[in-house]
Amino acid sequence: MSLTRRNLLAGAGAGALALSSGRVLAQTAEFSYKYANNLPVSHPMNLRAKEMADAIRAETKGRVDIQIFPNNQLGGDTDMLSQVRSGGIEFFTLSGLILATLVPSASITGIGFAFPDYDTVWKALDGDLGAFVRAQIAKSNLIAMDKIWDNGFRQITSSTRPIQSADDLKGMKIRVPPSPLWTSMFKAFDAAPTSINFAETYSALQTKVVEGQENPLAVIATAKLYEVQKYCSLTNHMWDGFWFLANKKAWERLPEDLRVIVARNINAAGLKERADVAALNAGLQKELADKGLVFNQPKTESFRDHLRKAGFYAEWKGKFGDEAWALLERSSGKLG
Ligand code: X2X
């Protein structure tokens, strides 16, 4: 008996389908696409992506098969960005700040202390600011899905000292993702930032190439960074999210009816992932403290002051331009 798509779908229960889905269906799918990302399989991004791929396969009756490559299996972010541009992979989730190496204005969402809470983030990103960034992305041969996925508010960890105020960052060897805005912000704090892809971050911390790094608790937990860090300072110094990107040609190759199904499922999964990450970040402090991380909650004022005095806000307002900055300040209030 040949295992055609039809009798596989008709015959298999949901569990069996999920288990066998990958290889068997990939051979029969009309569109077999790769989605790659930098996070561990246990992160909500990958849990929701798995559900999403299963739903797309079912709804398109096996015509669209999305294979997931988590955890930098296909290379670090810089490498995956080249691959999604060339069509080597069809889908990729990337922080707007790293995407800014290609689309400069995409880092505007990472300006220090711009968003006080998630309500403000989603209002801006699902509103005018998000639309502005997506329009810039569209000029670069990439398509960004409507709903940005959440990474979260970022916290600083270190193996050497807790960060109580901006002065404690002075001279600190800290890993930042490869992105001009990240480097600029930590230079403004007088730290010593080094650009390192997430793929090499754990080992850079372990071998003490750097003392610290900064990430949301959901990443610190799922990537087990607590194993190689001692302190966690809840600075909430910036919000970060992942644009769900598609290679433009691969996207346009999908017939309109399939495109609608794929986009709807990706955006729906993104909304669920946002809820998962917010809940995780809110509950992880105790779990990480049990694993030995020492927490402190600094006041944000000294950090904002430091950025202001270093001319960080003025510099980036100049780079992004008045129009984009006005869109940001519509949500954040006056910055700098
Ligand atoms: O590289 C990071 O630190 C991470 C996982 O947060 C991003 O993808 C921006």
Side-chain angles (χ1 to χ4, degrees):
M1 186 186 91
S2 72
L3 272 180
T4 63
R5 167 168 33 104
R6 199 169 301 259
N7 56 38
L8 235 190
L9 282 171
L17 179 63
L19 282 175
S20 66
S21 59
R23 221 151 278 149
V24 181
L25 281 176
Q27 289 163 9
T28 53
E30 247 171 274
F31 301 95
S32 182
Y33 280 7
K34 297 190 183 80
Y35 160 46
N37 67 65
N38 67 357
L39 291 183
V41 283
S42 56
H43 188 281
M45 172 189 277
N46 279 308
L47 301 175
R48 292 303 182 181
K50 167 83 173 63
E51 261 178 30
M52 168 199 93
D54 290 345
I56 290 171
R57 217 174 278 125
E59 246 192 272
T60 63
K61 304 196 168 42
R63 292 176 69 196
V64 179
D65 180 73
I66 299 178
Q67 296 292 304
I68 304 169
F69 295 84
N71 213 15
N72 299 298
Q73 277 174 21
L74 300 185
D77 281 326
T78 310
D79 207 350
M80 289 190 281
L81 178 58
S82 310
Q83 294 177 55
V84 76
R85 293 183 70 194
S86 70
I89 57 180
E90 287 80 10
F91 295 111
F92 175 40
T93 34
L94 183 64
S95 163
L97 280 76
I98 304 177
L99 181 58
T101 54
L102 176 67
V103 182
S105 55
S107 61
I108 192 163
T109 53
I111 287 291
F113 302 100
F115 300 110
D117 51 36
Y118 272 125
D119 279 352
T120 321
V121 168
W122 303 134
K123 226 166 131 198
L125 272 291
D126 292 339
D128 290 348
L129 186 67
F132 167 79
V133 174
R134 284 196 302 281
Q136 304 302 311
I137 296 173
K139 293 179 187 162
S140 69
N141 260 344
L142 293 171
I143 303 287
M145 297 294 133
D146 284 348
K147 300 291 178 190
I148 191 168
W149 291 38
D150 190 26
N151 189 0
F153 285 91
R154 300 178 78 95
Q155 323 296 353
I156 301 176
T157 66
S158 121
S159 57
T160 51
R161 58 182 181 274
I163 305 303
Q164 315 273 15
S165 74
D167 288 343
D168 294 323
L169 282 169
K170 197 172 171 145
M172 183 187 205
K173 281 193 268 170
I174 186 166
R175 170 272 171 175
V176 293
S179 153
L181 179 60
W182 249 303
T183 304
S184 156
M185 194 153 117
F186 280 84
K187 280 196 172 147
F189 286 134
D190 293 321
T194 309
S195 296
I196 297 175
N197 271 306
F198 191 64
E200 283 92 44
T201 295
Y202 183 100
S203 67
L205 293 167
Q206 189 175 39
T207 57
K208 307 255 160 67
V209 167
V210 287
E211 295 165 75
Q213 65 86 43
E214 42 81 60
N215 250 303
L217 296 186
V219 172
I220 294 167
T222 54
K224 300 193 191 308
L225 301 184
Y226 57 84
E227 292 178 350
V228 287
Q229 296 282 268
K230 180 147 180 58
Y231 301 99
C232 183
S233 306
L234 299 171
T235 48
N236 288 300
H237 54 277
M238 66 202 282
W239 172 82
D240 184 37
F242 296 104
W243 287 111
F244 205 107
L245 304 170
N247 171 276
K248 189 153 181 262
K249 281 212 187 93
W251 184 247
E252 288 172 354
R253 221 180 295 131
L254 292 175
E256 176 67 21
D257 58 329
L258 295 185
R259 237 185 273 161
V260 169
I261 296 175
V262 173
R264 177 169 25 80
N265 279 286
I266 293 176
N267 289 324
L271 294 184
K272 290 183 192 152
E273 188 263 1
R274 289 179 186 181
D276 293 346
V277 171
L280 244 191
N281 282 337
L284 270 173
Q285 183 175 343
K286 185 177 176 317
E287 201 177 305
L288 288 166
D290 288 344
K291 291 194 182 339
L293 263 194
V294 178
F295 281 86
N296 72 295
Q297 175 87 65
K299 295 205 180 70
T300 54
E301 227 14 75
S302 72
F303 298 91
R304 300 189 72 144
D305 274 357
H306 217 94
L307 291 180
R308 219 175 277 133
K309 284 185 190 136
F312 172 81
Y313 293 108
E315 180 189 339
W316 285 90
K317 180 181 180 181
K319 284 194 176 144
F320 290 128
D322 289 344
E323 186 202 342
W325 198 258
L327 281 177
L328 177 64
E329 285 192 333
R330 206 180 286 169
S331 342
S332 66
K334 185 108 187 75
L335 288 166

